[in-house]
């Protein structure tokens, strides 16, 4: 996640590939841990001086806020954290995007939560245990996520908060799309592959009113995990993505593509 002069990410180690901490750092500064000691963290997003992230321990997972100015951690108001598993949040202004899995793990939801009005809006859900929903990013009026029915038959979706309209991003036959992020003008960035990890992975751009365009190809055996898009004042889009090595849980890097969309 990128916001202002801060970069944030989640990280494991080769010695403990299943243990994750959420870190952040100011440009040119030292990293610091966002989640509490003894817990694990999954990074979400940054808006102003606030980081939203997932903090989990054992069977309990909740959405938390971290203030970059004071270092204070707080919980959302009511309606967000439940006895289920809240995961992979993102933040933009008063809106927070996150996923929720119920206790039985059969139902997953994509949820929008307004921190000012306390309004909760479910924008997608699945009740098939073989299906999966992954929150992407919220940025301005736009939200993206991907849904697999079943895995790895995955589609990326874009949702407009104001109009409440959802659009599925077109994909070619026998392909899968995932790792979605979005800019405030609705440009979607995502990965397209051949339904197997590291096979024919392409990083794509999909603007409103346009068609999907190729940005880069990944080498065989490499895939994209999470991604995060930032619109810079000079008109460029900075597309951050995790490039991982298939079947190697502690082999990944964070890379950035600087993209100047047409027009």
């Amino acid at each position: 996640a990128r916001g202002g002069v801060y970069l944030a990410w989640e990280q494991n180690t080769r010695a403990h590939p299943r243990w994750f901490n959420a870190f952040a750092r100011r440009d040119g500064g030292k990293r610091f841990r966002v989640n509490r000691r003894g817990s694990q963290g999954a990074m979400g997003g940054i808006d102003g001086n606030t980081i939203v992230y997932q903090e989990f321990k054992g069977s309990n997972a909740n959405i938390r806020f971290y203030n970059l100015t004071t270092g204070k951690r707080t919980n959302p108001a009511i309606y967000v954290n439940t006895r289920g598993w809240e995961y992979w949040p993102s933040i933009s202004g008063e809106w927070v995007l996150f996923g929720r899995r119920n206790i039985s793990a059969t139902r997953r939801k994509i949820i929008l939560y307004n921190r000012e009005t306390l309004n909760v809006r479910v924008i997608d859900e699945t009740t098939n245990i073989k299906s999966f929903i992954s929150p992407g990013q919220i940025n301005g009026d736009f939200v993206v996520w991907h849904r697999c029915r079943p895995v790895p038959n995955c589609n990326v979706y874009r949702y407009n908060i104001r109009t409440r309209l959802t659009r599925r991003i077109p994909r070619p036959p026998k392909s899968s799309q995932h790792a979605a992020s979005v800019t405030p003008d609705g440009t979607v960035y995502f990965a397209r592959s051949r339904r197997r990890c590291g096979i024919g992975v392409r990083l794509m751009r999909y603007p409103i009113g346009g068609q999907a365009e190729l940005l880069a190809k990944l080498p065989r055996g490499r895939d994209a995990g999470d991604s995060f898009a930032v619109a810079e004042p000079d008109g460029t889009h900075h597309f951050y993505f995790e490039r991982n090595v298939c079947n190697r849980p502690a082999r990944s890097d964070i890379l950035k593509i600087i993209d100047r969309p047409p027009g």
Side-chain angles (χ1 to χ4, degrees):
R2 178 78 188 188
V5 297
Y6 286 94
L7 181 71
W9 66 95
E10 63 190 66
Q11 185 173 317
N12 62 0
T13 64
R14 294 186 181 183
H16 302 284
R18 297 185 181 277
W19 186 276
F20 290 86
N21 284 300
F23 293 101
R25 67 169 172 82
R26 190 181 179 94
D27 290 346
K30 295 182 178 180
R31 73 174 191 177
F32 52 89
R33 191 179 67 251
V34 174
N35 53 295
R36 292 180 176 90
R37 185 180 297 276
S39 70
Q40 295 193 65
M43 184 43 55
I46 303 174
D47 186 88
N49 67 346
T50 300
I51 290 179
V52 64
Y53 69 101
Q54 174 194 354
E55 189 172 273
F56 56 104
K57 184 176 182 180
S59 60
N60 185 39
N62 291 301
I63 305 301
R64 309 283 192 208
F65 297 119
Y66 181 93
N67 189 303
L68 288 162
T69 303
T70 65
K72 183 179 180 180
R73 302 177 183 91
T74 57
N75 297 321
I78 55 176
Y79 307 129
V80 175
N81 294 324
T82 67
R83 291 189 299 168
W85 185 274
E86 280 73 40
Y87 61 98
W88 301 345
S90 180
I91 186 172
S92 184
E94 72 269 28
W95 289 100
V96 175
L97 169 74
F98 63 96
R100 174 181 291 157
R101 186 192 72 193
N102 68 353
I103 297 175
S104 65
T106 58
R107 182 185 297 271
R108 292 178 184 265
K109 298 179 179 180
I110 298 291
I111 297 174
L112 276 174
Y113 166 72
N114 191 300
R115 295 189 292 163
E116 296 182 359
T117 66
L118 306 186
N119 173 264
V120 175
R121 191 184 303 181
V122 177
I123 58 177
D124 199 4
E125 65 179 304
T126 178
T127 58
N128 187 335
I129 196 171
K130 295 182 180 180
S131 300
F132 184 77
I133 294 180
S134 175
Q137 182 181 0
I138 180 171
N139 207 340
D141 291 332
F142 293 98
V143 175
V144 288
W145 70 96
H146 78 259
R147 181 176 67 200
C148 307
R149 289 184 174 176
V151 176
N153 183 23
C154 306
N155 285 296
V156 168
Y157 296 85
R158 178 178 59 205
Y159 175 82
N160 188 309
I161 295 176
R162 293 186 182 275
T163 65
R164 301 188 180 224
L165 295 178
T166 301
R167 177 175 177 81
R168 181 174 67 85
I169 306 305
R171 66 176 173 90
K174 298 182 179 180
S175 67
S176 183
Q177 300 186 157
H178 60 284
S181 53
V182 67
T183 61
D185 67 0
T187 299
V188 181
Y189 292 89
F190 62 95
R192 174 182 289 168
S193 65
R194 297 179 187 169
R195 298 187 182 178
R196 291 182 60 189
C197 183
I199 305 297
V201 180
R202 307 288 189 266
L203 301 177
M204 311 293 296
R205 176 212 302 131
Y206 185 81
I208 286 182
Q211 297 181 340
E213 300 167 288
L214 175 67
L215 290 178
K217 300 178 182 180
L218 297 188
R220 186 179 180 89
R222 304 292 195 274
D223 212 324
D226 299 327
S227 72
F228 195 85
V230 179
E232 297 292 342
D234 64 359
T236 61
H237 293 167
H238 289 192
F239 173 47
Y240 295 83
F241 66 97
E242 175 202 6
R243 186 186 64 181
N244 56 49
V245 179
C246 294
N247 303 316
R248 300 288 295 274
R251 285 290 302 276
S252 67
D253 297 295
I254 297 173
L255 303 179
K256 178 176 71 173
I257 294 176
I258 300 176
D259 179 40
R260 185 177 294 277

